[in-house]
Amino acid sequence: MLRIFCLTILLFNCLSIYAKDKVVYQYIQANGTIAFTDQKPMAHKYNVLKYDCFACRVDSSIDWYHTKLFKNDFNAEITQASLDHNIPAALIRAVIHAESAFKYDALSKKGAVGLMQLMPTTAKELGVKNLKQPRQNIDGGTKYFAQLLDTFKGNVKLAAAAYNAGPNAVKKYSGIPPFEETQAYVKRVSILHQRYQQALLLP
């Protein structure tokens, strides 16, 4: 009981220390001690304990107009999802960038998983069986975004707001909800979308 209590205190302190970081990794050291770090362990199996949506932090210091783009990552998977669900690859990349910064094993504190940060219940409805499998995650997230675009008559900003806050919130406020996180998210997705559109046209 004391061991469990101590580990709980350690975990609480660790999460407090890394509250502003994107990821906390948990792994077991050679002596059996559970360790926590914000650096991805290279020699240990690990669990991701927390991931904050990359573009959701209102106080983010990232320059969204100049931050590095992921122009070639998961190219085959994104191209296929684009064809299957009639969504431009630039928009898919913008959403993945905003959600996970292209980290396939991202796990949010709310339980959203993978590149497009799908909730397990939503993923199940979309037919996604392995949330950490890039092809399935991208296909499921793209399919869901396509449904949102259909719901909001092709309005990308409203679809992005619904992807972040839920379609009912967008319907309730008849537009982008007055949530700081959602408004920041929509703005950043729009910036990234435009940048990927321009970047993907380049040879």
Side-chain angles (χ1 to χ4, degrees):
M1 181 65 73
L2 180 59
R3 178 182 177 83
I4 295 175
F5 177 76
C6 290
L7 288 175
T8 302
I9 294 298
L10 178 60
L11 174 59
F12 176 80
N13 289 336
C14 179
L15 293 180
S16 298
I17 291 171
Y18 295 121
K20 294 185 178 181
D21 293 315
K22 294 188 292 294
V23 180
V24 173
Y25 298 96
Q26 171 193 335
Y27 66 95
I28 300 178
Q29 296 177 317
N31 62 4
T33 303
I34 297 177
F36 304 93
T37 178
D38 64 341
Q39 300 297 314
K40 186 174 182 178
M42 302 304 294
H44 302 276
K45 291 184 177 180
Y46 60 86
N47 293 315
V48 179
L49 296 183
K50 181 177 74 69
Y51 186 96
D52 289 332
C53 162
F54 190 61
C56 292
R57 284 183 52 191
V58 176
D59 62 347
S60 172
S61 61
I62 293 171
D63 180 351
W64 298 95
Y65 291 97
H66 298 96
T67 189
K68 177 186 174 182
L69 297 180
F70 299 86
K71 294 184 289 185
N72 300 307
D73 300 65
F74 303 105
N75 192 53
E77 293 85 349
I78 290 173
T79 299
Q80 190 60 55
S82 174
L83 292 172
D84 289 345
H85 303 291
N86 194 30
I87 295 231
L91 180 54
I92 299 173
R93 286 192 179 277
V95 174
I96 295 174
H97 193 151
E99 288 290 334
S100 68
F102 281 78
K103 293 179 173 61
Y104 76 92
D105 57 353
L107 176 64
S108 81
K109 55 190 175 185
K110 294 181 180 178
V113 180
L115 290 161
M116 297 193 78
Q117 289 291 275
L118 296 175
M119 293 297 290
T121 52
T122 302
K124 186 176 181 180
E125 293 173 359
L126 295 166
V128 178
K129 295 181 179 179
N130 185 346
L131 285 166
K132 290 188 178 182
Q133 209 282 334
R135 180 184 60 79
Q136 293 188 40
N137 193 288
I138 291 172
D139 181 77
T142 303
K143 180 178 180 180
Y144 181 49
F145 204 95
Q147 293 174 356
L148 294 173
L149 280 173
D150 185 59
T151 298
F152 297 105
K153 305 185 187 309
N155 189 310
V156 174
K157 289 186 177 181
L158 292 185
Y163 199 93
N164 175 262
N168 290 334
V170 175
K171 293 175 183 177
K172 177 181 178 180
Y173 291 100
S174 299
I176 299 173
F179 311 144
E180 287 187 330
E181 176 186 308
T182 301
Q183 292 179 351
Y185 176 86
V186 171
K187 180 179 179 180
R188 291 160 184 171
V189 168
S190 296
I191 293 170
L192 292 169
H193 182 200
Q194 184 177 35
R195 290 187 63 206
Y196 276 111
Q197 283 179 314
Q198 295 171 347
L200 295 181
L201 289 176
L202 296 176

